[in-house]
Amino acid sequence: MTTGDAVMSALDALRLHKLRSALTMLGIIIGVAAVIAMMAVGGGAREQVIAQIRSLGSNLLVVTPGNITAGGVRMGSGAASTLTDDDSVAIMNEVGGVQVTAPNMRGTAQLVAGGMNWATGVFGIDNGWFEARDWDVEHGRMFEPEEITRGAQVILIGQTVARNLYGGIDPVGQELRVRNVPFRIIGVMSRKGQTTWGQDQDDVVFVPLNTGRQRVLGRNMANARAVGSIYVKVRDGEDMSIVENDVKSLLRQRHRLQPGQEDDFTVRNLADIAATREASARTLALLLAAVAGVSLAVGGIGIMNIMLVSVTERTREIGLRLAVGARQWDILRQFLFEATGLAAIGGLIGVLIGVGAAYIISNAAGWPLLIEPASIVLAVLFSGLVGVFFGWYPALRASRLDPIEALRHT
């Protein structure tokens, strides 16, 4: 018997029992579909998280003030006014590997433009902010250095603010009142989208830092040069943890903190946040892979069970073939092809169902669909291996039947 004859014989046997073959393939179909959907959805979710983290700025450290204690009551992180413009300048000049620093303040305010109004976040910044956040002006221009120094009443607005206050009208050059202070719009920022916690980054306006202090956000009475936080962008290739430790050491020295005394600031490494979220995604992927693996194993056991039943039902047929000259290898190959065919066809159907499920889930969640061809090939090959592994014993048992005893089987 040639290989082609063995394959055709195996397919004929599967066609003869269509319902039984379909039910046998069910476990393989579910397992492969779960693998494909898991890899596609997991990959898309990971890309979405990475894109959202990247939108905050790459290689970024965020330094925020620490807490203060008043009357035995700790006020929480950010309550103290311990960071200043001078800290930002010192980090830029004295810490190696720093590309740019960006001191900033933030608050909320009601904006009024003509007959429209909108409440949003207001940031007081310098131009280092845009480099730190990898954020550009889409239409118009950034602040001039002279505008930042003298505290000019100019403003940049986000896409959400532009849409809600001006609709389809070009806002550049228009007047915008922030807490009744008139500003001239000089640009509209490019779109940033949402953060990982769902905040709209485009619902914001930016004013020069000094302008924010003097006219909108208010000056800190305890420290006139206090800022809300400092963004520190680290150069590519530099070790983030080393720069983070250097920043902490410098700030402790500048703030005259004694050994053992608690930091009056906090440094957050956004790369650590991204790594944590990627680790969570990997854990979820491993969990789904375990579920898919169990399903494939159950499917394989189903194939073995059906093949053993098939060997019993076809004992006389096997005996007749052996009696007329078929070799043990021919019988082994025929039943092995049947088992592998069941698993491979189930794998192909599982791929189609998995791709469909991944498409539906990605659309519902708003994630990008990421299906790698290698994952499809791997799933089909693995299902074929399941067929070989679980079909080997029934095929071997069939090939070792005694022809005389097989022909006497009733």
Side-chain angles (χ1 to χ4, degrees), residues 117-199:
N117 68 89
W118 183 255
T120 189
V122 180
F123 276 80
I125 59 170
D126 62 16
N127 278 335
W129 170 271
F130 303 111
E131 184 176 350
R133 294 288 311 275
D134 299 322
W135 204 349
D136 295 321
V137 173
E138 182 177 280
H139 178 49
R141 63 173 177 82
M142 291 189 180
F143 301 129
E144 298 291 345
E146 173 268 339
E147 292 173 335
I148 293 176
T149 304
R150 69 178 171 85
Q153 292 175 216
V154 291
I155 191 168
L156 291 162
I157 64 175
Q159 296 267 345
T160 301
V161 175
R163 183 174 63 253
N164 284 285
L165 289 180
Y166 298 97
I169 301 173
D170 182 3
V172 175
Q174 305 269 354
E175 181 181 285
L176 176 64
R177 301 183 73 83
V178 182
R179 291 184 179 171
N180 287 325
V181 178
F183 284 82
R184 180 169 55 87
I185 299 174
I186 61 172
V188 179
M189 303 302 299
S190 60
R191 177 175 166 73
K192 266 288 187 179
Q194 291 188 345
T195 63
T196 52
W197 51 88
Q199 181 184 4

Side-chain angles (χ1 to χ4, degrees), residues 306-327:
I306 291 301
M307 292 307 298
L308 286 171
V309 171
S310 180
V311 169
T312 303
E313 289 177 346
R314 295 157 63 186
T315 298
R316 286 176 62 82
E317 174 194 330
I318 295 169
L320 184 61
R321 289 193 176 190
L322 290 170
V324 297
R327 298 168 299 174

Side-chain angles (χ1 to χ4, degrees), residues 7-8 11 34 47 80 167 175 223-224 250 256 265 286 331 379 395:
V7 171
M8 293 306 299
L11 292 177
E47 286 296 314
E175 181 181 285
N223 189 343
L250 176 65
R256 295 183 173 84
F265 58 88
L286 287 175
I331 303 299

Side-chain angles (χ1 to χ4, degrees), residues 48 52 55-56 193-203 277:
Q48 179 80 353
Q52 288 176 335
S55 73
L56 297 176
Q194 291 188 345
T195 63
T196 52
W197 51 88
Q199 181 184 4
D200 182 2
Q201 297 182 86
D202 301 307
D203 191 6
R277 290 184 178 273

Side-chain angles (χ1 to χ4, degrees), residues 41-378:
V41 173
R46 186 169 58 251
E47 286 296 314
Q48 179 80 353
V49 169
I50 291 173
Q52 288 176 335
I53 293 291
R54 193 180 295 125
S55 73
L56 297 176
S58 57
N59 299 344
L60 203 59
L61 301 174
V62 180
V63 187
T64 55
N67 66 79
I68 58 175
T69 301
V73 179
R74 303 184 72 189
M75 305 303 290
S77 179
S81 303
T82 53
L83 296 178
T84 65
D85 291 348
D86 298 330
D87 288 326
S88 175
V89 174
I91 293 171
M92 184 68 208
N93 293 334
E94 300 180 32
V95 176
V98 174
Q99 179 176 331
V100 69
T101 58
N104 64 86
M105 300 177 66
R106 70 164 301 172
T108 57
Q110 197 73 23
L111 312 181
V112 178
M116 306 293 289
N117 68 89
W118 183 255
T120 189
V122 180
F123 276 80
I125 59 170
D126 62 16
N127 278 335
W129 170 271
F130 303 111
E131 184 176 350
R133 294 288 311 275
D134 299 322
W135 204 349
D136 295 321
V137 173
E138 182 177 280
H139 178 49
R141 63 173 177 82
M142 291 189 180
F143 301 129
E144 298 291 345
E146 173 268 339
E147 292 173 335
I148 293 176
T149 304
R150 69 178 171 85
Q153 292 175 216
V154 291
I155 191 168
L156 291 162
I157 64 175
Q159 296 267 345
T160 301
V161 175
R163 183 174 63 253
N164 284 285
L165 289 180
Y166 298 97
I169 301 173
D170 182 3
V172 175
Q174 305 269 354
E175 181 181 285
L176 176 64
R177 301 183 73 83
V178 182
R179 291 184 179 171
N180 287 325
V181 178
F183 284 82
R184 180 169 55 87
I185 299 174
I186 61 172
V188 179
M189 303 302 299
S190 60
R191 177 175 166 73
K192 266 288 187 179
Q194 291 188 345
T195 63
T196 52
W197 51 88
Q199 181 184 4
D200 182 2
Q201 297 182 86
D202 301 307
D203 191 6
V204 67
V205 296
F206 300 102
V207 299
L209 182 57
N210 285 334
T211 310
R213 281 198 187 105
Q214 297 166 3
R215 308 300 302 271
V216 180
L217 302 172
R219 188 183 295 273
N220 188 301
M221 301 306 291
N223 189 343
R225 294 183 64 79
V227 295
S229 64
I230 300 173
Y231 280 34
V232 181
K233 186 177 180 63
V234 180
R235 292 194 188 96
D236 289 336
E238 298 288 344
D239 191 322
M240 294 281 290
S241 59
I242 292 177
V243 177
E244 180 181 351
N245 289 333
D246 290 345
V247 169
K248 288 180 178 177
S249 297
L250 176 65
L251 291 179
R252 286 189 63 85
Q253 180 185 355
R254 287 182 53 81
H255 297 179
R256 295 183 173 84
L257 299 177
Q258 299 300 315
Q261 187 176 353
E262 185 180 2
D263 291 341
D264 61 356
F265 58 88
T266 302
V267 181
R268 288 184 297 160
N269 186 341
L270 295 189
D272 289 343
I273 298 174
T276 302
R277 290 184 178 273
E278 282 193 62
S280 301
R282 281 197 298 272
T283 302
L284 179 61
L286 287 175
L287 177 63
L288 292 174
V291 173
V294 170
S295 182
L296 285 173
V298 171
I301 293 171
I303 288 176
M304 178 185 280
N305 183 42
I306 291 301
M307 292 307 298
L308 286 171
V309 171
S310 180
V311 169
T312 303
E313 289 177 346
R314 295 157 63 186
T315 298
R316 286 176 62 82
E317 174 194 330
I318 295 169
L320 184 61
R321 289 193 176 190
L322 290 170
V324 297
R327 298 168 299 174
Q328 286 188 338
W329 167 245
D330 294 329
I331 303 299
L332 176 76
R333 193 169 51 173
Q334 178 186 346
F335 279 87
L336 207 53
F337 281 158
E338 285 187 31
T340 307
L342 277 171
I345 294 172
L348 288 172
I349 297 173
V351 166
L352 296 176
I353 294 176
V355 170
Y359 180 78
I360 293 172
I361 295 172
S362 298
N363 269 355
W367 296 335
L369 182 61
L370 191 65
I371 298 177
E372 297 180 3
S375 65
I376 294 177
V377 174
L378 186 66

Side-chain angles (χ1 to χ4, degrees), residues 371-389:
I371 298 177
E372 297 180 3
S375 65
I376 294 177
V377 174
L378 186 66
V380 174
L381 286 178
F382 190 73
S383 62
L385 288 176
V386 168
V388 172
F389 181 79

